[in-house]
Amino acid sequence: MLNRRQLLGAGAAGATLVSSKAWGQTLNMGLPEAALMDTAATQVTPRPSSGVDYTPVVTLNGWTLPYRMNNGVKEFHLVAEPVERELADGMIAHLWGYNGQSTGPTIEAVEGDRVRIYVTNKLPEGTTVHWHGLILPSGMDGVSGLSHPSIPPGKTFIYEFDLVKSGTFMYHPHGDEMTQMAMGMMGMFVVHPKDPTFMPVDRDFLIMLNAFDIDPGTYVPRIMTMTDFNLWTWNSRIFPDIDPLVVNKGDRVRVRVGNLTMTNHPIHMHGYDFKVTCTDGGWVPESAQWPEVSIDIPVGAMRAYEFVADHLGDWAIHCHKSHHTMNAMGHDVPTFIGVNKKPLTQKIRQFQPEYMPMGMSGMGDMAKMEMPLPDNTIPMMTGWGPYGPIEMGGMFSVVKVRDGIDADDYSDPGWYENPPGEMAYEWTGELPEFASNNSPKTILTPKPNSKG
């Protein structure tokens, strides 16, 4: 066990030991309150009333951990514990997380701050917290047995360090990592620039990509799964119950996306191109920022991108791996496209009159049907828009750009009404001639006739 001096000093250059007077004040104040969140709704943090000004991040279906000031140090209290998380209306997961939720609360502070983070372990086994991407003393890095001893059940450890750079970082256990991360233990850590004129935005959204393997009708993730996950989530939430990204027209918007799943995720946003402005290694200089409409988020990494919201509408934002926009799937179900199941259906209905044949012309019908499901399970494709079923799930939400949205208003404005002449429609007239090709050979297109 580290003694108090070792735990706080932790041996790296630049670390500052807490004085006896300051430590005494800390003890007299006791532990900071361990804030608890009991809802999966997005919580909006007000702008700071003192100190450096910044636009607080909005964690979709999440919240920001409060802190207290103690002798110039920002003190936070994380509690690692079993939690119940509502993944969507009608589905609860029994997970491990922090302060009542998985993913854990976002920690926000400012470049140059000194932070003191109390971590209380209410799990049945030891844990640690690794501060992914932050520059800090070796003894504060959170690797069990290497940086410091594991935090035993029922005990509280202190992590204390200076925030030497701004950016977007993550936190997660680094002890029995396979189990604890598969159970949902992770969160985001945002350090705002000390110069409020550096990289300012009007709206700042935060998404953590995570995944679970939970069998239909059950509650606890299968922790031994390595790649074949069946629930792909944003902040431990699945569509249709991921909150929208609500934006006022003309706002400069940042979207920060961290990935602690076991695979990469190409995040695509409709209706816009954007510039990649930050990685978990730091801010990208303006001259090096690159344009995208999809940005791949590697495993264990973060990417942030920015755009000006100048196109009104409801714009899809999602992972572009198509099976990541589905909910719990039977991966072993055979393909029936083109199969005539009528004779088989007649025979099955002799024993099961309610049997419904599916899959002969695709899977879209599943979004329209309301079939009986096991308890604690939601449909593979679901969600309704203003014109019918959206036929999505998993890692999918909507960016809603409107005129007249107040700066602190993130409430859902409802569906966008397309102006006349700006929506696809059915054509019932004579069709123009269309070309077709049945050859696999490359066909060269002739150059246009310049005289024409």
Side-chain angles (χ1 to χ4, degrees):
M1 176 70 70
L2 290 177
N3 62 36
R4 186 180 72 217
R5 182 180 180 89
Q6 290 170 324
L7 183 61
L8 294 174
T16 304
L17 292 176
V18 178
S19 68
S20 298
K21 180 179 178 182
W23 179 253
Q25 291 174 341
T26 299
L27 291 179
N28 291 337
M29 291 185 71
L31 280 172
E33 180 182 358
L36 187 70
M37 184 57 60
D38 59 1
T39 175
T42 300
Q43 306 296 310
V44 179
T45 303
R47 296 185 78 93
S49 58
S50 61
V52 174
D53 184 46
Y54 58 83
T55 300
V57 295
V58 172
T59 305
L60 293 185
N61 298 100
W63 59 299
T64 291
L65 188 67
Y67 65 87
R68 75 178 183 192
M69 293 301 301
N70 182 7
N71 199 34
V73 179
K74 287 183 177 176
E75 293 186 334
F76 301 83
H77 190 179
L78 278 176
V79 178
E81 59 184 351
V83 303
E84 288 189 2
R85 173 67 170 181
E86 184 187 64
L87 300 184
D89 184 22
M91 184 171 187
I92 301 291
H94 293 173
L95 307 175
W96 290 358
Y98 300 93
N99 299 66
Q101 291 292 326
S102 166
T103 53
T106 299
I107 298 175
E108 284 188 86
V110 176
E111 179 186 9
D113 282 347
R114 187 170 183 84
V115 296
R116 180 180 299 131
I117 304 172
Y118 295 78
V119 179
T120 297
N121 183 10
K122 292 186 177 181
L123 299 174
E125 67 170 356
T127 191
T128 66
V129 181
H130 167 58
W131 312 100
H132 187 114
L134 287 165
I135 307 300
L136 39 61
S138 174
M140 298 291 175
D141 194 43
V143 180
S144 176
L146 177 65
S147 309
H148 57 75
S150 178
I151 306 171
K155 301 296 183 180
T156 298
F157 273 32
I158 291 175
Y159 294 88
E160 185 164 347
F161 46 87
D162 296 317
L163 302 177
V164 300
K165 61 183 291 188
S166 63
T168 312
F169 311 99
M170 300 181 278
Y171 66 88
H172 60 82
H174 228 302
D176 194 12
E177 182 175 338
M178 180 197 73
T179 297
Q180 295 187 12
M181 291 182 68
M183 289 291 288
M185 297 188 69
M186 57 193 69
M188 301 291 282
F189 197 130
V190 173
V191 182
H192 295 280
K194 60 185 176 183
D195 178 3
T197 66
F198 179 72
M199 304 296 289
V201 292
D202 300 300
R203 302 210 173 211
D204 201 339
F205 294 98
L206 191 61
I207 300 169
M208 170 69 84
L209 309 176
N210 56 330
F212 301 102
D213 184 14
I214 302 178
D215 286 337
T218 68
Y219 293 80
V220 180
R222 295 163 57 94
I223 63 172
M224 303 302 287
T225 297
M226 299 186 68
T227 57
D228 202 20
F229 297 91
N230 65 4
L231 290 169
W232 300 94
T233 75
W234 288 358
N235 302 325
S236 295
R237 195 77 166 167
I238 50 181
F239 184 79
D241 289 318
I242 298 174
D243 286 341
L245 292 74
V246 178
V247 175
N248 185 50
K249 184 180 180 182
D251 279 351
R252 184 167 189 84
V253 182
R254 177 182 298 129
V255 180
R256 312 177 192 234
V257 186
N259 179 12
L260 288 179
T261 73
M262 303 274 271
T263 188
N264 63 308
H265 297 275
I267 300 300
H268 174 54
M269 191 175 79
H270 296 204
Y272 285 85
D273 50 26
F274 50 78
K275 286 191 175 180
V276 180
T277 57
C278 193
T279 74
D280 34 6
W283 299 99
V284 180
E286 185 174 3
S287 60
Q289 295 171 8
W290 69 97
E292 293 281 9
V293 296
S294 300
I295 177 65
D296 193 54
I297 318 296
V299 178
M302 188 287 309
R303 298 290 183 265
Y305 66 84
E306 298 178 21
F307 64 96
V308 176
D310 48 11
H311 304 302
L312 293 172
D314 287 343
W315 305 105
I317 178 173
H318 58 93
C319 178
H320 221 293
K321 290 185 174 181
S322 57
H323 61 295
H324 293 181
T325 53
M326 301 287 186
N327 294 320
M329 295 175 285
H331 293 170
D332 297 326
V333 174
T335 299
F336 290 112
I337 292 176
V339 174
N340 179 11
K341 296 177 72 174
K342 184 175 290 187
L344 177 63
T345 299
Q346 292 172 347
K347 293 180 180 180
I348 293 178
R349 283 180 175 168
Q350 295 175 14
F351 304 95
Q352 185 68 34
E354 297 84 9
Y355 172 74
M356 293 186 297
M358 299 178 62
M360 296 83 72
S361 56
M363 302 296 287
D365 285 346
M366 291 188 64
K368 302 174 185 177
M369 296 179 180
E370 294 184 0
M371 298 183 299
L373 294 171
D375 291 341
N376 201 48
T377 303
I378 65 171
M380 183 174 75
M381 294 187 293
T382 185
W384 285 78
Y387 308 106
I390 296 178
E391 302 177 3
M392 287 287 172
M395 294 178 164
F396 182 95
S397 188
V398 181
V399 179
K400 297 192 172 187
V401 183
R402 301 288 191 275
D403 270 320
I405 302 290
D406 292 338
D408 58 350
D409 185 4
Y410 291 84
S411 59
D412 190 342
W415 299 112
Y416 182 69
E417 294 186 12
N418 296 302
E422 294 188 8
M423 189 173 78
Y425 59 95
E426 181 183 5
W427 173 254
T428 58
E430 184 179 350
L431 289 173
E433 183 180 353
F434 64 92
S436 64
N437 176 48
N438 58 8
S439 171
K441 295 181 179 179
T442 300
I443 298 177
L444 300 179
T445 302
K447 290 184 177 182
N449 187 344
S450 59
K451 295 180 181 181

